[in-house]
Amino acid sequence: MRARWLGWGLLFAERAWKHAEVVRFFRRPVPQAATSPELISILQPVLSGDPTMAASLERTLAMRTRYPFEVIWLADDHDSAAQVICRDLAARYPHRATRLVCVAPPGPRENPKLVKVIAGAALAHGDVLCILDDDTRLPDGGLEQLIPSLALPGVGLAFGLPYYESFSTLWSSLTSLFVNGNSLTTYLPYLRLSEPFTINGMLYALRRDVYDRIGGFQAIIGMAADDFAAGHLLRQHGYRLAQTPLRHGISTSVRTYADYARLMHRWLLFPRESVLRQLSPRERGIIIVLGLLPALIPLALLARLLLWPSRRAAALTAAYFAYDVAMLAHFNRAYLRRSTPVWALWLRPVAQALTGIQVIAALLAPQRMMWRGKVMRIERGGGFTYEAAAHDISERSPS
């Protein structure tokens, strides 16, 4: 009996500790840089297909910031729909420095996003490079929370914290709840134990001189998980990664269960074949103890309740889920700009249980996934090959 209560105590302690660590992180002052960049080059790979992409691109152009910036859109040379959107926005915001670059298709073992980023960096004029996904929305003053960290000793790359704003469909809602419920508790608590060893690739920045010093991103062009690969490359060259308090919204439409399942599978498969194979044993242990095992707890609690039902187990399981919903509600109000509607908070236990199933599936599934209309095989260490075309590459899957 004592061991059983100890187990329940540890489950609640894990939630409470992560809750406290998130609050503690946001109480830290934002670093203040002695000097400001002369120009920030925002490199934005674009791919048409999502109905909210134009609004996301426009948000960057309308952003209020004291830093001068240019925007370089990087579109596939055959993606006429994306090119039309970019040209229309450039015409509507003539006071902004924008440029549209059409990029040839990547090679069979080249990451399409990195191909575009490399092409954009070659044309950028800024002394800071900011890589921004086309579904990511920079808030007013967001750069002021991101860029100063690049001046900290030893820092080579700074990145933010994503949250999702899409709740138009059930599958968009479940995707958003996965991110909004896990982003802060994934990226922040482990900072108590370690320097950052991976990044959120939806938005990050590095100084131009650092990019040139590491030889650009050509060395990682064959890696599937470009975000982890970029962070790992910086660390290999002796640079630190800086987690900043910048929170940025993501808008992506997930229309069907198939889209949702593919997206979750990709997110969970990438760490298995890249992150976990290239980190130190201590860093792998941190991911397993603070990330992987807690992701399985909600599913395990529901399974236990079904197999060995009791009033006590039902009450404690309900209390565990209630605390998690309350924690998300707090984060949503205090840090995530109320991006999650109140009604959607109650879907959080469903999203948690599904995450457990998806984690198990990703651990056991073959190293294959659907990406940009092709079947991709993920190799040990994070490389990839395309196996066969499934449908036209211009059909965008959620990123």
Side-chain angles (χ1 to χ4, degrees):
M1 179 67 70
R2 182 176 299 176
R4 184 181 303 170
W5 283 110
L6 177 61
W8 280 107
L10 289 174
L11 293 183
F12 283 95
E14 181 267 343
R15 293 283 84 188
W17 178 72
K18 288 185 174 179
H19 193 171
E21 286 300 311
V22 171
V23 173
R24 173 179 170 272
F25 175 84
F26 285 112
R27 286 177 176 169
R28 301 190 316 189
V30 177
Q32 299 297 316
T35 60
S36 297
E38 295 182 6
L39 178 68
I40 297 173
S41 294
I42 297 177
L43 311 181
Q44 200 159 27
V46 297
L47 178 66
S48 65
D50 191 284
T52 66
M53 187 185 80
S56 296
L57 300 184
E58 184 173 10
R59 182 68 192 86
T60 300
L61 299 179
M63 171 183 59
R64 292 196 295 269
T65 176
R66 70 172 183 267
Y67 297 143
F69 69 91
E70 64 174 351
V71 177
I72 301 177
W73 293 305
L74 302 146
D76 295 319
D77 59 6
H78 61 274
D79 191 350
S80 57
Q83 295 168 30
V84 167
I85 290 172
C86 292
R87 291 191 180 102
D88 177 66
L89 288 171
R92 291 166 54 194
Y93 289 83
H95 62 290
R96 290 297 190 196
T98 61
R99 195 181 333 176
L100 171 62
V101 178
C102 297
V103 181
R109 297 178 68 91
E110 293 180 337
N111 183 300
K113 177 180 174 181
L114 287 175
V115 167
K116 291 178 177 178
V117 170
I118 291 169
L123 301 172
H125 295 135
D127 52 321
V128 169
L129 304 179
C130 180
I131 289 79
L132 182 68
D133 281 2
D134 62 5
D135 55 5
T136 301
R137 301 182 174 188
L138 267 169
D140 292 339
L143 292 175
E144 282 78 356
Q145 292 186 304
L146 179 73
I147 303 303
S149 291
L150 295 177
L152 296 176
V155 168
L157 183 150
F159 60 102
L161 293 157
Y163 62 88
Y164 265 56
E165 302 176 324
S166 303
F167 289 87
S168 58
T169 69
L170 172 63
W171 309 114
S172 290
S173 299
L174 290 173
T175 302
S176 298
L177 286 166
F178 171 79
V179 175
N180 296 358
N182 294 302
S183 176
L184 302 185
T185 56
T186 295
Y187 283 101
L188 301 183
Y190 87 93
L191 298 178
R192 170 73 77 166
L193 307 174
S194 170
E195 289 274 333
F197 47 73
T198 187
I199 70 169
N200 153 42
M202 298 170 181
L203 167 61
Y204 60 94
L206 68 165
R207 298 192 308 275
R208 179 57 191 247
D209 64 311
V210 170
Y211 179 84
D212 292 338
R213 201 170 294 132
I214 65 174
F217 288 158
Q218 193 65 42
I220 58 173
I221 200 169
M223 302 298 289
D226 51 87
D227 49 359
F228 173 76
H232 189 63
L233 179 65
L234 268 292
R235 294 177 72 213
Q236 285 181 315
H237 283 80
Y239 291 103
R240 295 169 51 222
L241 310 177
Q243 173 68 74
T244 74
L246 166 61
R247 285 134 287 155
H248 51 84
I250 311 288
S251 178
T252 298
S253 298
V254 185
R255 302 178 186 89
T256 67
Y257 168 76
D259 289 339
Y260 168 72
R262 281 195 297 267
L263 178 60
M264 294 297 298
H265 180 68
R266 183 164 74 248
W267 281 350
L268 296 170
L269 182 62
F270 276 163
R272 187 186 96 179
E273 296 304 329
S274 57
V275 178
L276 290 177
R277 296 194 186 279
Q278 297 190 44
L279 296 178
S280 70
R282 180 175 183 274
E283 291 166 341
R284 284 198 297 270
I286 289 174
I287 284 185
I288 291 171
V289 173
L290 297 187
L292 178 61
L293 294 180
L296 297 173
I297 289 172
L299 180 63
L301 290 179
L302 292 175
R304 182 188 183 281
L305 188 60
L306 289 174
L307 293 173
W308 298 285
S310 71
R311 290 183 179 179
R312 178 181 299 163
L316 289 170
T317 300
Y320 178 89
F321 282 109
Y323 180 36
D324 192 78
V325 170
M327 186 165 61
L328 174 57
H330 175 216
F331 293 163
N332 185 53
R333 181 180 65 256
Y335 310 124
L336 303 182
R337 300 182 177 89
R338 302 182 185 271
S339 56
T340 303
V342 173
W343 64 263
L345 293 173
W346 300 105
L347 282 176
R348 169 66 175 165
V350 177
Q352 285 181 293
L354 288 174
T355 297
I357 296 172
Q358 291 151 348
V359 167
I360 294 171
L363 290 173
L364 301 178
Q367 299 168 193
R368 294 179 178 85
M369 67 180 191
M370 185 72 69
W371 194 34
R372 292 172 60 94
K374 295 184 179 180
V375 177
M376 173 187 283
R377 178 179 178 83
I378 308 298
E379 300 170 342
R380 289 176 66 91
F384 68 93
T385 56
Y386 289 118
E387 291 194 346
H391 49 268
D392 190 87
I393 196 170
S394 63
E395 297 180 12
R396 173 176 176 146
S397 299
S399 58

